[in-house]
Amino acid sequence: VYVLLVLIGIGVLLYIFSLTFSSSYQKEGHITCVPTFVDGGGPYYKSNVPFRKKITPDQNDGEKLIVKGKVLKNDCKTSVEGAEIDIWQASEEGSYEDQYYRGKVKSDRNGEYMFETVMPKGYGEGTAYRPPHIHFKIFINNSEIITSQMFFPEAKGKPGFEEAYIMNLESKRLFGKVRHYGYHNIILP
């Protein structure tokens, strides 16, 4: 009986997750046709990181974040299959680590990508403050196409942060824990 209850509970969680994310994905699936901006990437990039959909350690104190989106050509309609998205970010404490908070994923035949992480913390002080963000590089056939960043809603309205550079974010409380679902399209130059 206990095992059956656990399995039912897991099934309910998966069902709630699929409804939450699929509705968020479709609702946020509209495309703003602004090419992704080119950025230098900062000092914390590491090459040769592993492919993995979950870029955080199993034990962390961060709020879970699932990021989905599409990689599109500059016509904003044509999806890009097989693009490598190389991701790195600060941890929930605002620091960069060599082993975690970085990884690679590939876009599927529809240009869609997905990875699991935690909400990064901004860092720095005063005019050097960096709002929370996730860095990424796009590689196609082993050639780097672009280096950029995706930002969170707290950057809205600040100089230099166009709406298209800020991910759509939805937060839900599930069984006492906050989970975030982000959507960000990457439009190649």
Side-chain angles (χ1 to χ4, degrees), residues 13-67:
L13 280 175
L14 290 173
Y15 177 73
I16 290 170
F17 175 78
S18 70
L19 286 178
T20 299
F21 205 77
S22 63
S23 66
S24 170
Y25 183 74
Q26 291 169 5
K27 182 170 51 180
E28 304 300 348
H30 69 282
I31 296 169
T32 303
C33 193
V34 176
T36 299
F37 72 100
V38 176
D39 181 62
Y44 301 109
Y45 176 72
K46 304 274 185 209
S47 59
N48 301 316
V49 297
F51 280 93
R52 56 184 171 195
K53 293 219 182 244
K54 182 179 178 187
I55 65 171
T56 58
D58 289 334
Q59 300 298 317
N60 66 69
D61 295 324
E63 294 179 353
K64 299 285 183 239
L65 169 64
I66 307 289
V67 178

Side-chain angles (χ1 to χ4, degrees), residues 3 12-13 20 22 28 37 54 64 66 70-71 81 94 98 103-104 106 117 122 145 153 155-156 163 168 182 186 188:
V3 172
V12 168
L13 280 175
T20 299
S22 63
E28 304 300 348
F37 72 100
K54 182 179 178 187
K64 299 285 183 239
I66 307 289
K70 287 187 173 190
V71 180
E81 179 180 0
D98 288 342
K104 289 181 191 174
K106 272 195 176 191
T117 185
I145 305 301
K156 280 185 181 178
E163 191 78 23
N168 294 313
I186 300 167
L188 301 180

Side-chain angles (χ1 to χ4, degrees), residues 52-125:
R52 56 184 171 195
K53 293 219 182 244
K54 182 179 178 187
I55 65 171
T56 58
D58 289 334
Q59 300 298 317
N60 66 69
D61 295 324
E63 294 179 353
K64 299 285 183 239
L65 169 64
I66 307 289
V67 178
K68 278 183 123 177
K70 287 187 173 190
V71 180
L72 299 165
K73 291 186 177 181
N74 63 6
D75 65 3
C76 300
K77 297 176 186 174
T78 308
S79 60
V80 178
E81 179 180 0
E84 278 185 21
I85 301 113
D86 194 340
I87 309 149
W88 70 103
Q89 70 172 68
S91 70
E92 65 275 12
E93 296 170 358
S95 61
Y96 286 84
E97 296 182 14
D98 288 342
Q99 187 174 0
Y100 292 107
Y101 305 97
R102 55 184 74 241
K104 289 181 191 174
V105 295
K106 272 195 176 191
S107 60
D108 67 15
R109 65 183 174 89
N110 298 315
E112 296 175 351
Y113 70 91
M114 189 276 294
F115 62 94
E116 179 183 333
T117 185
V118 294
M119 291 292 289
K121 182 178 177 185
Y123 53 88
E125 294 180 20

